[in-house]
């Protein structure tokens, strides 16, 4: 009799355990929400969508706002499905994090207003205003030598990000061509200054190693700047010094998108 009673107790405990596990699974599954936003499916947790009270998504989940369903029973929201990725990331992270080169600030601001996320809307508008201000300011990069700053190459562009990219590319090329000579040039915010940047007999500006080998001409760096600009979607607006007759021989380049 004792064995039968013990067996029944174990069976009851297993049933209760299975029941509790089933309830936990059920609760977890119901906490997952699938949204169909403009044809794109997003799966996230209920707590993510209800993070900001009085938002459009919080209203849908808590039943304050009526929302249609698609054929599979998912909430359907007729908005930009691609941009919703950034809306959802904001809800997850609590801050605005956008990929490099993002240019759809105005559209994202409209989406933020639709979803009634005031904090996100303000963050997007602030980012947009900063970009507009930066675009009005021409940024430059100067490549010169430590003895004669009047000689060299100047690159102008209204995109600080682009100037930073060109700068890193030119530094990379210079280092590869000046292997073993790490002190050949110094770098500051807007200037790359070569230590042994000299003038050859035919007038070109270049770097001279100790064994009198020419390794890095201005033409090489100019070519790298132009190719980087074209790959990034910029165009050469003008050669600021056309007196020499060609872009190759000019002292300055001006890029714009």
């Amino acid at each position: 009799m004792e064995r039968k009673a013990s067996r029944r107790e174990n069976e009851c405990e297993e049933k209760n355990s299975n029941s509790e596990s089933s309830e936990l699974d059920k609760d977890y599954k119901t906490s997952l929400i699938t949204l169909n936003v403009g044809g794109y499916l997003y799966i996230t947790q209920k707590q993510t969508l209800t993070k900001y009270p009085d938002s459009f998504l919080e209203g849908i989940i808590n039943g304050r706002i009526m929302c249609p369903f698609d054929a599979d029973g998912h909430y359907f929201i007729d908005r930009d499905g691609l941009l919703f990725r950034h809306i959802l990331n904001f809800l997850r992270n609590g801050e605005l994090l956008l990929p490099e080169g993002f240019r759809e600030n105005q559209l994202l601001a409209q989406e933020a207003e639709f979803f009634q996320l005031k904090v996100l809307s303000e963050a997007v508008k602030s980012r947009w205003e900063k970009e507009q201000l930066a675009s009005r300011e021409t940024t430059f990069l100067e490549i010169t030598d430590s003895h004669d700053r009047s000689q060299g190459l100047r690159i102008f562009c209204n995109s600080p990000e682009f100037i930073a990219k060109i700068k890193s590319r030119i530094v990379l090329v210079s280092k590869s061509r000046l292997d073993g000579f790490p002190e050949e040039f110094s770098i500051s915010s807007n200037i790359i200054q070569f230590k042994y940047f000299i003038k050859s007999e035919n007038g070109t500006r270049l770097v001279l190693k100790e064994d009198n080998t020419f390794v890095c001409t201005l033409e090489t760096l100019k070519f790298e700047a132009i190719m980087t600009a074209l790959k990034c979607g910029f165009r050469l607006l003008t050669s600021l010094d056309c007196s020499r007759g060609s872009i190759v021989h000019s002292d300055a380049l001006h890029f714009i998108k």
Side-chain angles (χ1 to χ4, degrees):
M1 292 293 291
E2 290 181 359
R3 288 182 179 178
K4 288 184 178 180
S6 176
R7 186 182 299 170
R8 287 176 182 173
E9 287 177 1
N10 289 335
E11 289 176 352
C12 288
E13 287 178 359
E14 287 180 4
K15 286 181 180 180
N16 290 334
S17 176
N18 291 334
S19 177
E20 289 176 2
S21 177
S22 177
E23 287 297 321
L24 288 173
D25 290 341
K26 186 177 179 181
D27 290 342
Y28 178 74
K29 288 179 180 178
T30 55
S31 72
L32 294 180
I33 306 294
T34 300
L35 300 175
N36 181 342
V37 184
Y40 291 82
L41 294 181
Y42 292 90
I43 301 176
T44 186
Q45 291 184 318
K46 180 179 179 180
Q47 64 189 44
T48 300
L49 298 176
T50 57
K51 187 173 183 179
Y52 289 88
D54 301 323
S55 70
F56 181 83
L57 294 169
E58 183 273 334
I60 288 177
I61 301 303
N62 290 330
R64 292 189 298 101
I65 298 175
M66 297 297 294
C67 181
F69 296 90
D70 65 11
D72 296 318
H74 307 312
Y75 290 108
F76 177 75
I77 304 174
D78 190 16
R79 301 299 296 184
D80 192 317
L82 287 174
L83 282 178
F84 187 74
R85 163 198 172 196
H86 306 302
I87 301 289
L88 192 55
N89 280 334
F90 174 77
L91 294 175
R92 289 166 174 161
N93 301 317
E95 60 179 320
L96 179 62
L97 300 172
L98 296 173
E100 183 180 353
F102 184 80
R103 289 292 179 268
E104 297 183 305
N105 294 298
Q106 189 172 4
L107 288 174
L108 184 57
Q110 290 179 348
E111 294 302 297
E113 289 180 4
F114 173 84
F115 287 103
Q116 299 170 20
L117 294 167
K118 186 178 179 181
V119 178
L120 175 58
S121 179
E122 291 175 351
V124 175
K125 288 178 180 177
S126 175
R127 181 181 187 275
W128 188 16
E129 289 172 357
K130 288 179 181 179
E131 286 187 355
Q132 291 294 312
L133 182 62
S135 68
R136 299 189 194 103
E137 299 176 357
T138 299
T139 311
F140 75 95
L141 174 65
E142 184 177 342
I143 304 169
T144 184
D145 65 24
S146 57
H147 305 292
D148 185 3
R149 292 189 60 181
S150 66
Q151 301 296 324
L153 172 66
R154 284 165 291 282
I155 300 172
F156 297 86
C157 185
N158 60 350
S159 170
E161 294 83 4
F162 173 69
I163 289 294
K165 188 164 188 171
I166 274 199
K167 178 180 175 182
S168 63
R169 177 61 184 163
I170 288 177
V171 168
L172 180 65
V173 170
S174 300
K175 283 184 176 179
S176 67
R177 289 173 177 265
L178 299 174
D179 185 33
F181 292 82
E183 301 302 324
E184 293 281 3
F185 61 93
S186 60
I187 306 166
S188 62
S189 58
N190 290 91
I191 298 175
I192 301 176
Q193 191 172 75
F194 284 88
K195 198 171 183 181
Y196 300 106
F197 210 43
I198 66 165
K199 201 170 196 177
S200 66
E201 292 181 2
N202 61 3
T204 58
R205 304 289 297 182
L206 37 75
V207 173
L208 179 66
K209 276 190 176 182
E210 291 180 356
D211 61 356
N212 294 327
T213 303
F214 298 130
V215 293
C216 195
T217 68
L218 260 185
E219 282 66 30
T220 298
L221 302 183
K222 202 174 297 183
F223 175 77
E224 290 293 336
I226 293 173
M227 292 304 297
T228 302
L230 294 177
K231 287 178 181 179
C232 294
F234 287 84
R235 60 189 176 89
L236 182 63
L237 180 64
T238 181
S239 168
L240 297 186
D241 180 7
C242 298
S243 60
R244 303 195 180 190
S246 71
I247 294 174
V248 175
H249 297 100
S250 66
D251 292 333
L253 303 173
H254 191 171
F255 297 106
I256 194 169
K257 183 171 283 189

